[in-house]
Amino acid sequence: MSERILILGATSGIARGVAHALARRGHRLLLAARDRDELERLASDLRIRYGTEAGIIVFDVLDEAQHDVLCAALEGDSQALDGVVCAIGYLGDQERAFREADEARRIMRINYEAPALLLNRLAAVFEARGSGWITGIASVAGDRGRQSNFIYGSAKGGFALYLQGLRNRLARHGVQVLTVKPGFVDTAMTWGLPGLFLVADPMKVGEAIVRAREKGRNEIYVPGFWRLIMSIIRSIPEAVFKRLSL
Ligand SMILES: NC(=O)c1ccc[n+]([C@@H]2O[C@H](COP(=O)([O-])OP(=O)(O)OC[C@H]3O[C@@H](n4cnc5c(N)ncnc54)[C@H](OP(=O)(O)O)[C@@H]3O)[C@@H](O)[C@H]2O)c1
């Protein structure tokens, strides 16, 4: 059955992979992000390629007044929303964030606070209706604090915990919540970063996310081998871990 799906952060590399996987299945998409030109390019590509509906919503998740506008537009729409994918993210600069409150605040807000505030609103609609699904993209960076990216990692870890609690609340109301923890993926976010390994193709990652959603999974690592890598990293005793330069 064709579903109507909102993708927040739709212009992101991983979200594009998700959008292609969903459009290929005939789902109707609403693509939301800040960059109007990129959204329009993506929407027309999806329409031409798959013959599916793709609308755009220009919005900044940091502007809470725009949450009101977005939610009002969705409520006033005759077609109901079946699902939401949240791929909004900002890696930022760890060293700068450690020294400058503005950069730290931006990382914390874009990766955790602002998406959680918006998802609260959308989740309440799904809860009242007793159906729907939410897929949120967290990160392996949220599984253990590391000196090289603990400000971004702590925001992603907070977002993962938020999604876990949301799942616990909504499961009894027939609403599925999937937490996605990607490893390194080849997108604008990671372009040119040193020291990356096992970098995944965003199209394959998008397909894996959509399949996991269809199977009703709760939490996935993509690619799947990151589950093992992260369980090893989490198992290192803190007394040893604090001396590692990770
Ligand atoms: N790439 C990786 O290796 C990796 C690994 C683990 C987790 N992740 C997570 O996976 C998700 C997607 O990552 P990606 O690498 O595909 O990201 P990306 O290409 O850097 O895209 C980031 C997305 O967030 C949107 N965004 C940023 N600030 C926003 C704001 N204030 N309001 C609305 N939208 C905003 C951007 O859209 P506009 O600029 O158009 O607004 C863009 O669509 C992110 O949550 C990221 O943290 C990525």
Side-chain angles (χ1 to χ4, degrees):
M1 200 190 70
S2 167
E3 294 191 327
R4 189 147 184 269
I5 298 157
L6 171 65
I7 306 184
L8 302 166
T11 53
S12 93
I14 294 175
R16 283 168 198 266
V18 171
H20 278 263
L22 291 170
R24 204 179 299 126
R25 287 160 168 80
H27 297 306
R28 292 157 291 144
L29 305 180
L30 278 174
L31 309 169
R34 287 169 307 180
D35 188 332
R36 178 184 291 279
D37 292 346
E38 271 305 309
L39 285 169
E40 277 170 358
R41 267 194 288 277
L42 176 63
S44 70
D45 182 35
L46 294 170
R47 282 187 218 112
I48 293 164
R49 217 182 268 266
Y50 305 106
T52 189
E53 271 178 38
I56 70 162
I57 299 174
V58 180
F59 98 117
D60 186 335
V61 77
L62 292 179
D63 181 353
E64 279 176 51
Q66 293 187 31
H67 296 194
D68 297 339
V69 175
L70 190 143
C71 292
L74 291 171
E75 276 161 28
D77 203 316
S78 56
Q79 300 183 67
L81 209 58
D82 297 288
V84 179
V85 178
C86 181
I88 292 171
Y90 174 60
L91 185 59
D93 181 326
Q94 163 72 26
E95 201 44 41
R96 192 149 71 82
F98 186 57
R99 302 190 185 282
E100 295 172 23
D102 279 354
E103 176 71 349
R105 192 178 295 112
R106 191 167 178 77
I107 295 172
M108 292 171 187
R109 292 193 65 211
I110 293 182
N111 290 294
Y112 171 45
E113 182 194 279
L117 291 176
L118 179 56
L119 287 182
N120 275 345
R121 310 265 307 258
L122 301 170
V125 175
F126 289 168
E127 181 183 74
R129 194 179 69 194
S131 69
W133 56 262
I134 293 168
T135 294
I137 306 193
S139 174
V140 294
D143 274 14
R144 190 149 193 186
R146 294 182 290 119
Q147 50 102 22
S148 59
N149 74 346
F150 62 85
I151 296 182
Y152 170 79
S154 63
K156 283 297 185 188
F159 189 52
L161 211 56
Y162 166 81
L163 291 167
Q164 187 177 49
L166 194 64
R167 176 163 50 247
N168 189 227
R169 174 177 177 132
L170 296 185
R172 71 208 64 187
H173 297 280
V175 181
Q176 180 211 0
V177 179
L178 166 64
T179 308
V180 179
K181 295 184 176 180
F184 299 127
V185 185
D186 186 11
T187 69
M189 183 175 277
T190 52
W191 195 85
L193 286 183
L196 301 190
F197 55 94
L198 301 170
V199 180
D201 173 352
M203 288 297 153
K204 289 189 182 151
V205 167
E207 177 63 31
I209 292 171
V210 171
R211 274 206 211 130
R213 213 300 295 160
E214 288 168 345
K215 286 183 187 154
R217 301 276 305 274
N218 297 314
E219 181 190 86
I220 58 160
Y221 286 79
V222 272
F225 54 73
W226 279 96
R227 183 176 291 279
L228 177 62
I229 294 174
M230 293 318 296
S231 84
I232 294 168
I233 288 180
R234 279 197 314 270
S235 71
I236 299 171
E238 194 60 23
V240 175
F241 196 79
K242 73 178 180 187
R243 294 177 203 286
L244 302 178
S245 295
L246 290 170

